[in-house]
Amino acid sequence: MMSIRQRKGVRAADPSGDDAAQQEDGAPEPKLPSERHTSRRLWKILSFTVGGAVALCAGLLTSVYLATLHENDLWFSNIKEVEREISFRTECGLYYSYYKQMLQAPSLAHGFRGLMYDNKTESMRTINLLQRMNIYQEVFLSVLYRVLPIQKYLEPVYFYIYTLFGLQAVYVAALYATSWLLSGTWLAGLLAAFWYVTNRTDTTRVEFTIPLRENWALPFFAVQVAAITYFLRPNLRPVSERSCCPRTRPRGSLSLRTGVTEVFSPQRLTLLAIFTSTFVFSLTWQFNQFTMLVQALGLFALDSLDMLPAAKATWLYSIQVTALLLVCALQFFNSMILGSLLISFNLSVLIARKLQKNLKTGNFLHRLGKLLLHLLVVLCLTLFLNNMIKKTLNLKSDEHIFKFLKAKFGFGATRDFDANLYLCEEAFGLLPWDTFGRLSDTLLLHAYVLVLGVTATMALAAALHHLSDSPTQGHTGRCAVSLGPDTAYNLTHTVAFGALALSTMRMKYLWTPHVCVFAASGLCSPEVWGSILKVARLHTPARVCVVRHAVPLLTLLCLGCKFWPGVMDELSELREFYDPDTVELMHWINSNTPRTAVFAGSMQLLAGVKLCTGRTLTNHPHYEDSGLRARTRAVYQVYARRPPEEVHALLRALGADFVILEDSICFERRHRRGCRLRDLLDVANGHMMDGPGENEAGLQPAGHPRFCEEIRRGLPAYTALFTRVFQNKTFHVYRLQKHVAGPPAPSPSGQAR
């Protein structure tokens, strides 16, 4: 009798074959795929929960730590209100004054009207502050404070500073998230947060410059970088690709559910996060366009080398332009935004891409030639569009920045006062070498150099492979090294902003926080350690796993043992704000001058005068306006060698009733010869500088003594025009005589108008 049996070749397909035999032999039953999937999912949920909790704790602890340092340094809770306001020095006081102004207004409508038609920030001019300055955050906070029932429990100043310290929690959490996304483990995020705190001197200055625009903006910039990192993950497809190939689905109720899922898909939510963070970042800082230009240049480099999906790059270019145009609309079509290089560059990239559709085809030499041509086309288009926009709008707001850059990078010396004012500030000089010493003390620099070297090598290999391997000719081979778009983006980010920080010290606060992120993620990265162990011929998956967790844990342990005692000492050190001369000056102004009085003086001091007294100013520290820069040069002639009649005419032309002279400027010793304010004025006026040393060719001896020195002698030529009404160890206040016959007011350069 014939029987049928199963073939031996397909025995594995029998669900009761080998498994049954194993059960009979007493061997352990393997887990089903569904069980493995469930356990893996539970592990991911547990890891995400623990990692998220650690991120929240790290952010909150950093916020409390910085707020405590601020309190300990100033004894902020105990000093008088005027002392608190004076502690917001330079432009910080100017920005906070608008928050105070909104709270003191009879109603929100009056407050908005006062900002839109302001005639106290610049004398004899009515300006729209919402157009000229990035103060929407002060407006938003003042509205919140007036609406929320917290007036009885929290003073306005505390609501303001606690908000900014709270943003530091967002900042640290965003850095944490970026490290986690790049490395795959939240241990990297913890290490990044720890490095951010231990390198506080070089990563933030929020505890002593609270209202500064960067302290509002940089937390949102960090959120944007984290969102872009997630968006560029290889397994996250752009929305355009998903919409091109819709899945076949049955009709009925499932279509509605699928539509809702598409609306709230990770891709769309990520794009929304990128747009929102980009928009808020741009709205809160006037230098947003220059920061995002550096970011756009990095994206352009990756896009050109085919290391970034073209569709995702297009989304990012478009988001930058859209966010900036929306900010422009909110700032009443601020011409400086419309004339920014960022808008011109991004539009040029999109246009050039349409003109050169076959950029990524051909052999290595052909692709390299096309790449260079593409770069030239984008550069020419950018310059053409930017010049056309600036000529159309007659834009001169940012010309001082380009003068500064031209002189800084050695394209000719300049006598321009504004450019030299930036060149002589330490914050705009090269990054000091002691910065690297501090970063080395925390082991951050060592880890950063290691990770940067390995990742840059991987990126170079991947870039050469992409240039050599044409998609139209078929892939000639597989690259031995793979680098994800998210890692490649963060590499270009740290390199670009590192170059910016090296050239301009103030820009280090854009770079050093990302150094913490990049170094921490690299120490926990399986790709980095895999490459290192392969070179050492020690590579196994188990060793990679051990090393990528052991090294950051040991680093955290080492840093904790080394810096914990110092942190405790720092938290126990108590100091107190002390500036009696400035306090005395503000009290005198409030008690002895009319509310309508107009004051002239240095930009930094006048910001405090505006905040503490509400008096009208001739000039202020917000330097992004050509008319204001001319006003400042005119006021600063009190420290130049000009006759009293000319100085009086210049100040009266601006409506000044009082002028404040500062000994720290008139007899300045902080800067070297050639960088003192009086030297900059002398050179701009064509006069030879004080003291021993050489002078530039073409400078002539001044025909008059220095005004700020000579007025102290009380000579008749000066007392006829200026009457001293207040003095202390630091300040001298003079009242200007109003009705004086004389020649028309001269220009700041010394020539009559």
Side-chain angles (χ1 to χ4, degrees), residues 198-213:
T198 53
N199 292 279
R200 174 179 54 83
T201 304
D202 298 298
T203 55
T204 183
R205 47 181 177 167
V206 66
E207 75 271 18
F208 59 90
T209 58
I210 296 178
L212 207 60
R213 302 299 85 180

Side-chain angles (χ1 to χ4, degrees), residues 12 40 44 86 210 329 383 575 583-584 595 640 646 656 719:
R40 190 181 300 112
K44 286 184 177 180
I86 292 172
I210 296 178
L383 295 177
R575 290 182 291 270
V583 172
E584 184 184 12
R595 296 284 300 175
E646 288 187 4
T719 56

Side-chain angles (χ1 to χ4, degrees), residues 574-621:
L574 303 178
R575 290 182 291 270
E576 182 180 358
F577 176 85
Y578 184 75
D579 190 356
D581 290 347
T582 306
V583 172
E584 184 184 12
L585 172 66
M586 299 305 169
H587 281 313
W588 181 87
I589 293 175
N590 276 320
S591 303
N592 297 277
T593 64
R595 296 284 300 175
T596 57
V598 179
F599 277 80
S602 68
M603 296 184 291
Q604 295 79 5
L605 179 63
L606 288 186
V609 171
K610 172 73 168 62
L611 172 59
C612 298
T613 71
R615 301 305 190 262
T616 305
L617 314 179
T618 56
N619 55 304
H620 54 80

Side-chain angles (χ1 to χ4, degrees), residues 373-416:
L373 179 61
H374 183 64
L375 179 62
L376 182 62
V377 169
V378 170
L379 177 62
C380 293
L381 269 175
T382 301
L383 295 177
F384 174 75
L385 287 176
N386 194 252
N387 285 329
M388 289 295 294
I389 293 172
K390 286 186 175 180
K391 286 183 179 180
T392 303
L393 300 176
N394 191 26
L395 179 62
K396 297 181 180 179
S397 298
D398 58 353
E399 62 180 0
H400 65 297
I401 297 176
F402 294 103
K403 288 180 181 178
F404 158 71
L405 293 174
K406 181 181 177 182
K408 181 178 179 64
F409 294 109
F411 294 102
T414 179
R415 294 183 182 177
D416 183 77

